Amino acid sequence: MSEKKRCGWAWGDENSNMVRYHDNEWGKPCHDERELFELLILEGMQAGISWSIVLNKREAFREAMDNFDYNKIKDYDETKVAELLQNPGIIRAKAKINAAITNAKAFIQIQEEFGSFDKYIWGFTDGKTLVENEPPVPTKTPLSEAISADMKKRGIKFCGPVIVYSYLQAIGIINAHDKDCFCCPIN
Ligand SMILES: [Zn+2]
């Protein structure tokens, strides 16, 4: 019986959050506004901790934060923030929770300016996916640095070049599947 080869980081059994994320989302072009926002927030939540922890808390985040509805999150007040900080299912970091609120506002402003966040973010590559899977794998690139700087200018928090590089991989602007992974687009 042959087993599917995957990128080295996608460990776990077929039903693990890591493997399902790798197989179904990572590197696949995402054009849905809500999903683009969700992944932006989750990538920021990842700062300093592992992605598997974030993925395992994803459902709890969705429940606690209105399924990442930026129109609701933008209006979260101190009472809501205090409630979230009591929720053991999510990552209880005040700076990150506050950043999600700030980022919801900035996200909406970008939508207003560009028509959609999708147009804004995919505009950096003219809608194209870049395949970047030559080792050594970078943690950031000139593109992620440029987008990071632009996002910062627009008031987005937790969007350093390393986080943005990871985000671009998540939403499929960069496809970084290993050459021997079954998801590699060149196979
Ligand atoms: Zn892969």
Side-chain angles (χ1 to χ4, degrees):
M1 203 181 116
S2 67
E3 228 179 88
K4 278 180 185 168
K5 280 210 164 157
R6 293 186 171 87
C7 295
W9 58 265
W11 44 266
D13 67 49
E14 294 271 336
N15 294 316
S16 72
N17 287 328
M18 239 4 198
V19 169
R20 283 191 299 154
Y21 172 75
H22 167 273
D23 291 5
N24 301 316
E25 287 183 84
W26 195 65
K28 292 205 166 50
C30 173
H31 296 289
D32 179 85
E33 296 292 291
R34 195 204 64 78
E35 285 170 33
L36 288 168
F37 182 71
E38 174 172 332
L39 287 164
L40 181 68
I41 299 308
L42 291 177
E43 290 288 348
M45 292 288 172
Q46 189 197 357
I49 53 176
S50 76
W51 184 237
S52 64
I53 291 176
V54 175
L55 281 184
N56 289 336
K57 289 176 176 289
R58 188 179 194 172
E59 277 310 319
F61 265 119
R62 284 174 174 163
E63 272 176 42
M65 297 181 73
D66 293 291
N67 198 29
F68 293 97
D69 180 341
Y70 39 84
N71 287 309
K72 290 185 178 156
I73 293 173
K74 78 171 187 342
D75 293 328
Y76 282 4
D77 58 13
E78 280 180 27
T79 310
K80 176 69 182 185
V81 172
E83 182 194 309
L84 289 169
L85 291 172
Q86 296 296 318
N87 185 334
I90 65 169
I91 292 154
R92 291 181 285 179
K94 197 172 187 187
K96 290 178 179 176
I97 302 283
N98 282 330
I101 302 169
T102 305
N103 289 354
K105 292 173 188 161
F107 190 91
I108 292 164
Q109 273 184 351
I110 290 171
Q111 286 179 320
E112 284 167 1
E113 184 177 338
F114 289 82
S116 65
F117 189 85
D118 179 49
K119 277 189 191 152
Y120 163 72
I121 197 73
W122 280 89
F124 285 97
T125 60
D126 288 327
K128 290 193 195 79
T129 291
L130 312 174
V131 177
E132 290 183 4
N133 59 3
E134 286 290 340
V137 181
T139 58
K140 58 182 180 175
T141 60
L143 175 67
S144 82
E145 284 172 346
I147 296 176
S148 167
D150 194 74
M151 282 183 170
K152 273 184 196 156
K153 205 178 71 189
R154 296 173 184 283
I156 294 180
K157 307 283 183 200
F158 285 94
C159 66
V162 174
I163 289 177
V164 169
Y165 190 67
S166 182
Y167 180 60
L168 296 177
Q169 293 178 324
I171 64 174
I173 289 181
I174 291 167
N175 187 309
H177 284 285
D178 290 347
K179 285 176 186 170
D180 60 356
C181 171
F182 83 97
C183 293
C184 176
I186 299 169
N187 285 340

